[in-house]
Amino acid sequence: MTYTLPARHRRGAALLIVLATLALVTTVLATLASTASLDRVATRDARRLAILDDLRLECDRIASDWLSEHSLTVSLPPETASPRVAIASQELPLAGETVAVNLAAFDQHGMVPLGDAPLGLRGTLPARIAQLRATWTTERTSGPTGLDQLASIAPVDLAVFPRVSIQDSLLAAGELLATHAGTERTSINLATAPLRIVEAAMRDAGRGGIEVVIDARSRGDRVPLGSLTRLDGNRVEGPLELLAASPCWAICTDLRIGPLRRAWWTVWLREGSTWRIVQRLEVAQ
């Protein structure tokens, strides 16, 4: 699902996309000028790769701006099936070819953590995704946790990395399982998670008031955590925190020039008021 910002955010978002497009065009033209004048690129494919590398750097700036300006106020519609937000989608003509730029953000706290998670949350996963999670829990390596580890053990017909430019009816594992959330405690963002995850998280946290969450998200407003009711007698299986904004997002950057395509899955973490990259994986095409 492609998310549309509430009306009060659209003007700022539109300006951000316009500025981002101008930055992309400027970078591409600068790259072409330097390669033409210095003759550093010997082949067309090498030139394309150089352009995509420069575009990726520009896309990091776009992602950083979006995270700083908009991520803390994202509120997805209640019917959303994935904590996905479309950031930018542009096609630019360049030297007889088309450059396509697509970015989408995926809230790590709108998913079930790969690490420890209450049984209620784990029960929201589709059977094949639950099996993949169980396999990873048994066979995980000592390396950094990432979607590449899941991809190495997933069945060939099960998508792991989400794709920005292709909207499939079946969600990828990376839209349902969080690699960078829940290391110390499970935290679920009530403003972005699918309702089945929201309901399970609220139940495990001993909170009621799902109608408050639905109403706020239907209006595109922040979820008022203070309006949730406390349920007596609920047994919480472990420390679980309910959030109204997420400190960790994954950005999928999908770039194409002519027949050449590259994509990256980049995890960003907020520390204070600053966002920094904690993991970047190139997605096999």
Side-chain angles (χ1 to χ4, degrees):
M1 174 177 292
T2 300
Y3 171 58
T4 302
L5 286 170
R8 65 181 183 280
H9 296 318
R10 289 175 189 159
R11 180 176 301 174
L15 178 60
L16 177 63
I17 298 305
V18 169
L19 293 176
T21 301
L22 291 175
L24 289 169
V25 172
T26 300
T27 300
V28 170
L29 294 179
T31 300
L32 285 179
S34 66
T35 56
S37 60
L38 301 177
D39 196 25
R40 293 185 301 177
V41 179
T43 68
R44 177 175 293 184
D45 283 346
R47 183 188 68 175
R48 288 168 172 161
L49 285 171
I51 291 172
L52 291 185
D53 282 337
D54 280 0
L55 285 176
R56 179 180 60 79
L57 294 176
E58 286 299 315
C59 286
D60 281 348
R61 296 187 182 97
I62 296 171
S64 179
D65 288 344
W66 182 85
L67 289 166
S68 298
E69 297 294 329
H70 297 290
S71 67
L72 298 182
T73 59
V74 169
S75 182
L76 295 179
E79 65 273 15
T80 188
S82 164
R84 165 199 292 251
V85 181
I87 298 178
S89 180
Q90 299 287 335
E91 287 194 356
L92 310 170
L94 178 64
E97 296 187 303
T98 298
V99 176
V101 179
N102 290 280
L103 284 85
F106 298 82
D107 186 0
Q108 288 282 287
H109 289 275
M111 312 177 193
V112 177
L114 264 180
D116 293 337
L119 180 60
L121 283 184
R122 301 198 303 271
T124 66
L125 294 171
R128 297 191 76 198
I129 303 298
Q131 180 57 49
L132 178 63
R133 182 184 184 279
T135 302
W136 176 85
T137 301
T138 302
E139 300 180 4
R140 60 183 170 181
T141 66
S142 58
T145 301
L147 288 187
D148 55 337
Q149 288 193 10
L150 286 179
S152 69
I153 61 173
V156 294
D157 61 339
L158 179 61
V160 172
F161 286 93
R163 293 290 295 271
V164 175
S165 55
I166 299 177
Q167 296 290 334
D168 295 325
S169 57
L170 295 178
L171 299 180
E175 297 177 77
L176 300 168
L177 293 172
T179 59
H180 287 71
T183 54
E184 296 181 357
R185 67 165 63 184
T186 301
S187 302
I188 297 296
N189 184 0
L190 301 188
T192 62
L195 279 187
R196 66 183 187 282
I197 293 179
V198 170
E199 291 171 341
M202 291 178 63
R203 186 165 54 248
D204 286 335
R207 295 287 180 170
I210 187 66
E211 67 282 353
V212 173
V213 176
I214 294 174
D215 180 62
R217 290 177 57 165
S218 297
R219 291 182 283 106
D221 292 338
R222 284 176 64 100
V223 175
L225 297 181
S227 298
L228 302 180
T229 58
R230 184 180 298 277
L231 303 178
D232 296 329
N234 273 38
R235 178 178 176 274
V236 180
E237 298 180 42
L240 192 152
E241 182 181 13
L242 302 179
L243 306 176
S246 174
C248 188
W249 289 77
I251 307 292
C252 186
T253 303
D254 192 314
L255 305 176
R256 175 175 54 82
I257 178 170
L260 188 62
R261 188 175 207 153
R262 296 181 72 186
W264 295 267
W265 180 260
T266 307
V267 181
W268 294 72
L269 181 67
R270 189 179 80 240
E271 295 180 341
S273 60
T274 303
W275 288 88
R276 68 181 182 91
I277 295 173
V278 295
Q279 186 180 69
R280 192 195 305 278
L281 302 171
E282 184 159 5
V283 182
Q285 297 298 312

